[in-house]
Amino acid sequence: DFGSPEEKKKFLKQEQTLLTKGIYNPLTKQTQIIAPEKINWYRYAIKTKAKFSYNSARRYYPTTPEDAFIASENSFFDSSKANEAKTKKLNDPPKYELGEIEWDESIGDLIFVPSSTGSLKIFKTPEKNWNSRYVVGSDIGRGYDDGDYSCAYVWDRLSQQYVAVWHGKVDQDQFAEILMNLGLYYNEALLVPEANLDTVINVIKPDGINPYIGEIYIDENLKNEHWGFLTTSSSRQMLIESHKSRLRDNPLGYDVLPDVETINEHLAFIRKKTQHKVKYEAADGHHDDRVIGSALAWFGDDWWDQPVKEYKPNKLVE
């Protein structure tokens, strides 16, 4: 869907220009000829990732600075800065290990098991002698039935960076175990799960089926204390507004978002106007789980009143 025959001609002409003359990269300050394989990948991306919409592809997978600003007025987050961060990560992909956290009977502890099919990206392993250092924010999908994803973002309160991301489709009871394992692996991290679907909460809360031994966020703004972050129209707006402010004010800016997939979901988080109100949510064909999960991890850092502490033999250092 190019919108018009003229736009299709422009697209085909741009392809030939990329193949023969290349494109200037402001980061490397060099002109790069684009290989036919990359042209084929971009066509594939238009088909599968952008649902045949050329304008969507230009916005979420920009080739030029002009492309990056397509429909930017509808973006909730700063699309210019997000695209700059995305370009950096595409040119210099962050290093991570892929796998899962599993229980090792031989040592009686949780370990990271590398796997090319794993759902967990670890950018930095936990520093073992630290307490109250890590927060895990999670958005919970319903499971396989409706195709929703669940995700968990691990936030390092000391370095002020995301250090791990889990993203996949599992049933809620399975995700409860994954979430607890991730929290335990990262030094009994604070868990900040989204609480609207109560299966995970009913498993991990202190009087639950399989209680988590670390701390869990308590929503104290309700009449009755509620484990986990209960999402309402007002609490959701507060969460995404504060997340936007943190991205704006953080020294790393949008570079703090750990991978391209997370940045893409922030770019696809747009303004939708109905007859009665304006809402910010994922564009059609996209999800917002990465936005909410990463926001909850950062939110937990602000909420947790426990100072980060390092334990050394016979000495406690704050």
Side-chain angles (χ1 to χ4, degrees), residues 286-298:
H286 296 266
H287 300 276
D288 67 0
D289 47 89
R290 295 182 190 268
V291 173
I292 302 302
S294 59
L296 286 172
W298 214 333

Side-chain angles (χ1 to χ4, degrees), residues 37-281:
E37 291 82 2
K38 289 188 176 181
I39 296 293
N40 286 337
W41 176 88
Y42 193 69
R43 288 188 170 201
Y44 179 77
I46 295 173
K47 173 184 174 182
T48 59
K49 298 178 182 293
K51 312 299 182 185
F52 293 95
S53 170
Y54 178 42
N55 273 344
S56 292
R58 291 173 69 191
R59 181 181 177 198
Y60 303 122
Y61 299 91
T63 302
T64 66
E66 291 75 22
D67 286 349
F69 289 94
I70 295 296
S72 61
E73 69 276 8
N74 287 328
S75 296
F76 178 76
F77 298 99
D78 189 323
S79 60
S80 174
K81 292 182 178 178
N83 272 308
E84 286 178 9
K86 178 178 175 178
T87 300
K88 292 177 184 177
K89 282 182 168 53
L90 288 171
N91 286 320
D92 186 18
K95 294 180 175 59
Y96 63 85
E97 290 187 272
L98 190 65
E100 298 288 354
I101 302 296
E102 296 181 5
W103 180 261
D104 188 324
E105 291 285 354
S106 63
I107 64 173
D109 202 356
L110 291 165
I111 62 170
F112 175 74
V113 179
S115 170
S116 60
T117 60
S119 298
L120 175 65
K121 289 182 181 180
I122 288 189
F123 300 94
K124 290 184 179 180
T125 54
E127 298 284 348
K128 289 299 183 183
N129 293 330
W130 290 83
N131 189 34
S132 305
R133 177 168 174 172
Y134 300 102
V135 180
V136 183
S138 63
D139 186 67
I140 304 167
R142 294 182 183 276
Y144 286 111
D145 291 341
D146 66 353
D148 278 0
Y149 288 92
S150 292
C151 71
Y153 280 74
V154 183
W155 176 255
D156 184 340
R157 301 175 71 199
L158 191 63
S159 69
Q160 291 288 288
Q161 293 181 359
Y162 296 99
V163 292
V165 178
W166 190 96
H167 189 268
K169 293 182 180 180
V170 292
D171 291 332
Q172 291 180 55
D173 60 323
Q174 293 175 303
F175 185 64
E177 181 178 357
I178 289 167
L179 186 58
M180 285 197 296
N181 286 347
L182 192 57
L184 292 171
Y185 184 71
Y186 276 91
N187 304 2
E188 298 180 13
L190 169 70
L191 301 186
V192 190
E194 191 268 342
N196 289 54
L197 302 176
D198 57 7
T199 299
V200 171
I201 299 297
N202 287 338
V203 172
I204 69 174
K205 65 182 182 179
D207 59 346
I209 300 169
N210 184 17
Y212 177 61
I213 64 173
E215 290 196 51
I216 303 173
Y217 168 75
I218 302 175
D219 195 333
E220 298 160 328
N221 296 318
L222 305 175
K223 288 184 178 180
N224 299 314
E225 289 185 347
H226 194 285
W227 297 102
F229 186 92
L230 190 62
T231 304
T232 64
S233 57
S234 59
S235 68
R236 185 178 186 275
Q237 187 66 25
M238 177 277 295
L239 179 68
I240 61 174
E241 289 282 1
S242 61
H243 186 51
K244 182 178 182 180
S245 298
R246 292 184 186 99
L247 286 168
R248 181 194 64 218
D249 299 337
N250 185 277
L252 291 175
Y254 284 75
D255 289 341
V256 77
L257 298 176
D259 54 18
V260 169
E261 292 81 5
T262 303
I263 296 174
N264 280 341
E265 280 207 5
H266 282 73
L267 285 168
F269 200 77
I270 64 171
R271 178 179 184 269
K272 288 187 178 181
K273 186 176 181 180
T274 64
Q275 185 176 357
H276 302 291
K277 59 182 177 180
V278 173
K279 291 180 62 179
Y280 285 94
E281 58 188 18

